[in-house]
Amino acid sequence: MSDQRVFSRYRANEIRSDLQNVDIKKAKASTLRRKTALKKIIANLTLGNYAEMILLFPDILKFWKIEDDLKVKRICHEYVRTIGSIKPRSTVEAMPNIMEDLKSHNEDLQIMGLETLVSIPFTKFTEEAFNFIISLVNRRSTSQRLLKTAIYSLLQLDDWDHERVIGMSNILYEIIEQHLESPSVQIAALKTLYTLHDKNKKLEPFSLPVDIAYTLLDTIPELNEWDTSSLLECLVVTVVPTTHADVYEMIDIAISQLQHVNTSVSLNALKFIIYLINYVDEIDASITERLSNSVVALLEKSSELQFLVLRNIILLLLTRETPIIQVDVSYFFIEFNDPIYIKDTKLECLYLLANESTLPRILDELEQYSTDIDTQMSRKAVRAIGNLAVKLGDVAADNCVDTLLHLAEFGVDYVVQEIISVFKNILRKYPNRYRKEVIIFTKYMDCIQEPESKNA
């Protein structure tokens, strides 16, 4: 059946007829029809057709009991979660079915049952969820996947019973310390504690001893990419190194993750390393080189990720007197197919990276951008040249002014007007210079239309 027919609004009676239309001779066709009917129910809940779909609750319970198909079970759980989030009390009749799945030997069914319990804000459901989670944590043998689901479920339960979840903090901390054979479960406990403290500002700041941080970092080879990313993210705010040796050792472990194919891992590794660098007086040249190479690699990613990296580069350039990355300015030159937000951010980077040695190359680029067919880009480039004249001093100012005068010769109205607007700031910075240049601009008086240019 096409998605269009599934995502149409139905009345309860129309779907009920499909659920009850069972042909024993055509069992396969009947099963398919029932599954399609169940999909229609979920689609109608997505469309907000709650009033009609709630009427099918008895039919859902009926098929839940007789069907062993995991897809059907999954749809039944999804139905109860959706209805339960709107009318929690109306789903109490589904509790026996949920508990039966929870006690099943099938791990998938247990996870479905637990996810359903924690998603319904009603005491009977949350109580059973807590009981199941505590029993899982106390078992000696529990599958990692099920235990991780139980640990992460506490974040959802925190919305319904905060005090009880916080009361389990010690258990989570014990898991971080003791579950050495299950590093993935350790990370789940760490991420949960980190998130709980982040959500609840009244709690004491969550911190990890350095030795436990080392233990967790040593598990990186055994972790999947998402657990690795979570670990590095959490360590940024939970561990405080006590010696320079600790800092360099942690950096050495994390720096290998900068080249990870998963961008989340590499970005969190970069964040962790930059955090650690705050605890040393001198940065090793090899660290600077490896950081710089990683940043260059990240600039080859998609536009969205590239933007995130560029914004972080700007923060690094603004907040540190001694740069901890050394990237050639050419990496910030604008490409014709860059989105506008990338172009703007690269312009900021070029402005921040400009100095006596890089200025000639940057001015050449900005001059090209100033003649771009994109008028907004052109204006921003002209303004950047003017700002550099104010920022860098006398010699640089001469070069910037020469570039502006050269651009004015083209006689493009909006370029000339932008040049005049920025020139007033140059004259304010250097009041005894460039008086002859002011006379040059008088011949453009007829093309000046914009208020800012006239005022300038």
Side-chain angles (χ1 to χ4, degrees):
M1 174 173 284
S2 68
D3 288 345
Q4 187 174 0
R5 289 186 62 190
V6 169
F7 280 92
S8 298
R9 294 180 77 89
Y10 290 91
R11 298 186 69 82
N13 288 336
E14 294 175 295
I15 297 179
R16 185 177 284 118
S17 64
D18 285 340
L19 288 171
Q20 295 176 346
N21 192 355
V22 180
D23 188 339
I24 297 174
K25 294 181 181 180
K26 297 179 180 179
K28 189 174 181 180
S30 296
T31 302
L32 181 60
R33 190 178 292 111
R34 286 203 302 276
K35 285 183 180 179
T36 303
L38 290 169
K39 288 179 183 177
K40 288 180 182 177
I41 294 172
I42 298 302
N44 271 258
L45 288 173
T46 305
L47 294 170
N49 190 13
Y50 302 119
E52 286 292 324
M53 294 305 104
I54 288 176
L55 299 176
L56 294 169
F57 191 68
D59 302 272
I60 291 289
L61 293 182
K62 173 185 172 183
F63 285 107
W64 194 337
K65 290 177 182 177
I66 64 174
E67 286 280 4
D68 292 326
D69 190 298
L70 273 178
K71 287 185 179 178
V72 172
K73 294 274 193 182
R74 188 168 283 110
I75 291 173
C76 292
H77 279 283
E78 183 64 31
Y79 174 88
V80 172
R81 286 176 209 149
T82 308
I83 298 299
S85 64
I86 305 162
K87 295 186 175 181
R89 293 176 183 272
S90 67
T91 54
V92 172
E93 289 181 39
M95 180 66 81
N97 301 56
I98 298 171
M99 296 307 298
E100 187 176 337
D101 287 344
L102 207 61
K103 294 171 184 176
S104 164
H105 295 296
N106 186 311
E107 186 181 86
D108 290 323
L109 283 179
Q110 287 182 297
I111 289 173
M112 285 182 213
L114 179 57
E115 288 175 344
T116 301
L117 286 177
V118 300
S119 65
I120 301 175
F122 189 49
T123 307
K124 288 187 177 180
F125 291 91
T126 54
E127 188 67 30
E128 291 295 344
F130 275 116
N131 291 339
F132 183 71
I133 291 170
I134 291 169
S135 69
L136 276 183
V137 171
N138 291 329
R139 283 184 205 167
R140 292 192 175 182
S141 59
T142 304
S143 78
Q144 284 194 30
R145 184 163 157 250
L146 182 57
L147 186 53
K148 282 178 68 176
T149 303
I151 292 170
Y152 282 127
S153 294
L154 291 172
L155 295 175
Q156 209 164 344
L157 289 171
D158 184 59
D159 295 331
W160 322 131
D161 195 338
H162 172 67
E163 294 302 323
R164 191 164 181 181
V165 171
I166 294 302
M168 296 181 68
S169 296
N170 290 337
I171 296 174
L172 293 176
Y173 199 85
E174 287 174 10
I175 290 173
I176 296 172
E177 288 184 312
Q178 298 175 8
H179 272 254
L180 302 179
E181 73 285 355
S182 307
S184 186
V185 174
Q186 285 180 290
I187 303 306
L190 174 66
K191 179 71 173 178
T192 300
L193 271 176
Y194 165 79
T195 308
L196 286 172
H197 281 76
D198 191 51
K199 282 172 61 180
N200 301 282
K201 302 302 181 184
K202 293 180 181 179
L203 295 176
E204 289 288 324
F206 173 47
S207 61
L208 280 178
V210 173
D211 59 332
I212 293 180
Y214 274 129
T215 303
L216 294 173
L217 284 169
D218 287 339
T219 66
I220 285 178
E222 303 171 52
L223 300 175
N224 62 36
E225 54 195 16
W226 301 114
D227 285 339
T228 303
S229 177
S230 295
L231 169 60
L232 293 169
E233 180 189 6
C234 294
L235 289 180
V236 172
V237 293
T238 57
V239 65
V240 177
T242 53
T243 66
H244 285 182
D246 286 337
V247 173
Y248 286 119
E249 191 170 346
M250 288 184 187
I251 287 176
D252 195 51
I253 295 171
I255 209 164
S256 61
Q257 300 302 313
L258 289 172
Q259 303 298 333
H260 202 287
V261 292
N262 185 296
T263 308
S264 177
V265 174
S266 52
L267 284 174
N268 278 311
L270 179 63
K271 185 163 63 172
F272 183 44
I273 292 166
I274 292 168
Y275 163 73
L276 291 170
I277 286 173
N278 290 316
Y279 292 91
V280 293
D281 298 326
E282 191 174 338
I283 304 167
D284 191 273
S286 63
I287 293 175
T288 300
E289 183 181 355
R290 293 176 73 177
L291 276 175
S292 303
N293 292 338
S294 300
V295 167
V296 169
L298 290 170
L299 288 173
E300 301 299 323
K301 300 283 186 178
S302 64
S303 297
E304 293 79 6
L305 293 170
Q306 190 182 151
F307 174 73
L308 183 60
V309 174
L310 289 169
R311 297 311 305 177
N312 278 280
I313 289 172
I314 289 171
L315 289 174
L316 290 176
L317 294 172
L318 288 172
T319 57
R320 301 191 70 89
E321 292 182 10
T322 305
I324 61 172
I325 56 169
Q326 295 176 352
V327 182
D328 190 83
V329 292
S330 62
Y331 287 105
F332 304 103
F333 289 168
I334 294 170
E335 302 291 339
F336 75 95
N337 58 346
D338 281 338
I340 186 63
Y341 56 89
I342 295 291
K343 290 180 178 180
D344 288 348
T345 313
K346 282 184 174 180
L347 269 183
E348 285 187 63
C349 290
L350 288 175
Y351 174 77
L352 292 170
L353 288 167
N355 53 43
E356 289 184 8
S357 61
T358 61
L359 183 63
R361 295 171 67 194
I362 291 175
L363 278 181
D364 286 344
E365 281 294 309
L366 293 176
E367 188 172 2
Q368 290 182 43
Y369 307 154
S370 300
T371 57
D372 197 292
I373 57 172
D374 180 350
T375 58
Q376 291 302 314
M377 187 69 232
S378 176
R379 287 173 180 273
K380 289 172 184 175
V382 171
R383 197 163 288 272
I385 295 170
N387 291 338
L388 287 175
V390 173
K391 170 190 175 185
L392 295 178
D394 295 355
V395 177
D398 289 342
N399 293 330
C400 292
V401 168
D402 289 343
T403 303
L404 291 173
L405 294 175
H406 183 251
L407 286 169
E409 290 175 5
F410 287 97
V412 180
D413 288 358
Y414 61 85
V415 173
V416 172
Q417 292 184 92
E418 196 66 39
I419 291 171
I420 292 172
S421 295
V422 300
F423 213 84
K424 74 175 187 298
N425 295 325
I426 297 174
L427 291 172
R428 284 172 178 164
K429 179 69 183 289
Y430 311 101
N432 299 319
R433 303 173 69 181
Y434 310 122
R435 292 185 179 182
K436 291 186 296 183
E437 284 74 4
V438 175
I439 299 171
I440 296 173
F441 291 117
T442 57
K443 66 181 181 181
Y444 299 107
M445 291 294 293
D446 293 338
C447 73
I448 299 175
Q449 303 294 327
E450 297 172 0
E452 185 180 357
S453 302
K454 287 182 178 180
N455 290 337

